Amino acid sequence: MATEPKKVGAPEEDPVAEPEKAVPPPATRPTDYFKVADVVLRVLVFSSALVSVVVMSTSKQTEMVPIPVPPYQALRPAKFNHSPALIYFVAALSVAGFFSIITTLGSLYSLTKPAGCSAKIISHFIVIDVLLLGIVASATGAAASVAYIGLKGNTHVRWGKVCSMYGKFCRYLGASIGVSLFASVMLVLLVLLSVYSLSKKIPK
């Protein structure tokens, strides 16, 4: 009995491995430049408040001034704590510097964890910044009025000029007021920035 020839099949081909799909890189979170600006502004407020307090606290000068009784001259010091307005200035800028540290830490937290930056936190920042702006601006105005009288005097009430004698003290006073004015401008920018950030969170 004849045997049927075996059919030789085509050799099996190895399955071709599909090329691996490239894994897309993890999506990076875009930088929120408004939050970065918020942190920078708060650091500037703290720095300017600290500089103002230090400069005002070290503005001491002792000079020989004329007096109406013999020996008609005496050593008289000029310090910031001789004026209630300047004492208020130092206290107000100290408060502003302290609260700017707290708000800076909160702003850094919101920068690292955007989910934690809610509209409620931003509204609290706005309230604090507005209060600090009022305090710093009023203190700057009070100190500036004292500095102006020291520089120009007041002939109507016979207040004489003292900056001609206490030049160093007046220079320190003017520098401290200028830096505090810069802090007031930074606080204005912070309020505007916080209001804008809050408006972005309001659903339209």
Side-chain angles (χ1 to χ4, degrees), residues 49 53 56-57 80 84-99 132 135-136 139:
V53 171
M56 182 64 74
S57 301
F80 80 94
L86 300 184
I87 294 174
Y88 169 63
F89 176 86
V90 172
L93 270 294
S94 300
V95 171
F98 173 74
F99 277 98
L132 291 181
I135 292 173
V136 173

Side-chain angles (χ1 to χ4, degrees), residues 43-71:
V43 172
L44 288 176
V45 171
F46 168 73
S47 303
S48 55
L50 179 62
V51 171
S52 294
V53 171
V54 171
V55 173
M56 182 64 74
S57 301
T58 56
S59 60
K60 178 182 177 181
Q61 185 179 4
T62 303
E63 295 291 338
M64 294 289 295
V65 297
I67 57 176
V69 294

Side-chain angles (χ1 to χ4, degrees), residues 145-155 159-164 170:
S145 64
V146 173
Y148 182 82
I149 292 174
L151 181 64
K152 299 293 185 179
N154 192 322
T155 56
W159 288 346
K161 305 175 183 179
V162 297
C163 286
S164 57
C170 289

Side-chain angles (χ1 to χ4, degrees), residues 177-194:
I177 293 171
V179 177
S180 69
L181 183 61
F182 174 78
S184 300
V185 175
M186 294 300 102
L187 285 168
V188 171
L189 295 178
L190 273 174
V191 172
L192 295 176
L193 187 63
S194 298

